[in-house]
Amino acid sequence: MRLATWNVNSIRTRLDRVVDWLARADVDVLAMQETKCTDNQFPTLPFLELGYEVAHVGFNQWNGVAIASRVGLHDVRVGFDGQPGWSAKPGADPAPEARALGATCAGVRVWSLYVPNGRAVGDPHYAYKLDWLAALRDAAAGWLRDDPAAQIALVGDWNIAPTDDDVWSPEFFAGATHVSEPERRAFQAILDAQFTDVVRPFTPGPGVYTYWDYTQLRFPKRQGMRIDFILASPALAGRVSAAEIVREERKGKAPSDHAPVLVDLRDD
């Protein structure tokens, strides 16, 4: 099975690129983030025509996550236990955001995750990001306590560069989000909960990235960040036979600012 994740940065803008790549790359399951549309606006038909079932959650023009699968799509769930909400309005109750979607595909529990950005160290959104990651860690650890043999993939845009090798210039990012120690500790806590970055062994750094800002010619200058990951439970990690960051998809007309990331899984 081939499992991929891609922050598409607006599925309606990037639809032709996404479905074309799906056909060419022979992907079985694609988790998408930042779809930027409501459920009613999501362009399901082109996926169905390619043989994919689709689950999506989107409440407005922000965030949004989806899973497209041609190997089954079962037990779809929006959000995980304890997932915190967000509100930018003083005094307003925090509301859930469209940032987590789970489904079982050919026996693999896939979670499409769009971790909050954090905006700036010390911003309320930064505290929300850390709370969100802590809740995800607790939920994921619970899934493995309940079933140590569970095959779980936590995939998506984590908005964290876990090491200095994962950014083009540690000095440029000093004091910013994505590289702060609390964020890196939050990411490490999920690894400590027995999840493994199964892409990095096949794509060693430094200088290997998944995201390049649209500004300042970051992509041709190779000034990027590695912030998109596939983290696998122990039972799933043992099935990974290959992995790739598909840098070519960041090229061409109207690309996303992220590249797809994929793994190949051996049969059980």
Side-chain angles (χ1 to χ4, degrees), residues 1 7 13 17 47 54 58 76 83 89 134 189 191-193 199 255:
M1 186 170 92
N7 179 321
T13 300
R17 290 192 63 124
F47 291 90
V54 177
V76 175
Q83 180 180 326
K89 299 178 181 179
L191 301 181
D192 292 343
V199 176

Side-chain angles (χ1 to χ4, degrees), residues 205-221:
V208 179
Y209 309 126
T210 66
Y211 163 85
W212 302 260
D213 197 339
Y214 289 126
T215 65
Q216 303 297 314
L217 298 176
R218 295 295 185 207
F219 183 71
K221 291 179 180 178

Side-chain angles (χ1 to χ4, degrees), residues 16 18 48 51 70 73 87 111-112 125 127 129 143 151 166 196 205 209 211 226 233 250:
D16 289 346
V18 171
L48 296 178
R70 65 181 185 185
L73 192 67
S87 175
W111 281 92
S112 181
H125 205 262
K129 178 179 189 174
W143 299 331
Q151 299 192 43
D166 297 327
T196 301
Y209 309 126
Y211 163 85
R226 188 197 288 249
S233 64
R250 179 59 176 81

Side-chain angles (χ1 to χ4, degrees), residues 2-7 17-18 20-27 29-30 199 202-203 208-212 219 222 225-226 228-230 242-252 255-264:
R2 175 164 284 182
L3 167 65
T5 181
W6 195 357
N7 179 321
R17 290 192 63 124
V18 171
D20 176 70
W21 181 73
L22 270 179
R24 287 186 288 106
D26 198 26
V27 170
V29 181
L30 174 63
V199 176
F202 298 91
T203 60
V208 179
Y209 309 126
T210 66
Y211 163 85
W212 302 260
F219 183 71
R222 298 182 177 269
M225 307 175 75
R226 188 197 288 249
D228 301 84
F229 298 94
I230 296 175
E244 182 183 357
I245 297 168
V246 191
R247 189 177 183 276
E248 289 296 308
E249 290 304 313
R250 179 59 176 81
K251 299 178 180 179
S256 170
D257 44 4
H258 294 250
V261 179
L262 64 82
V263 293
D264 288 328

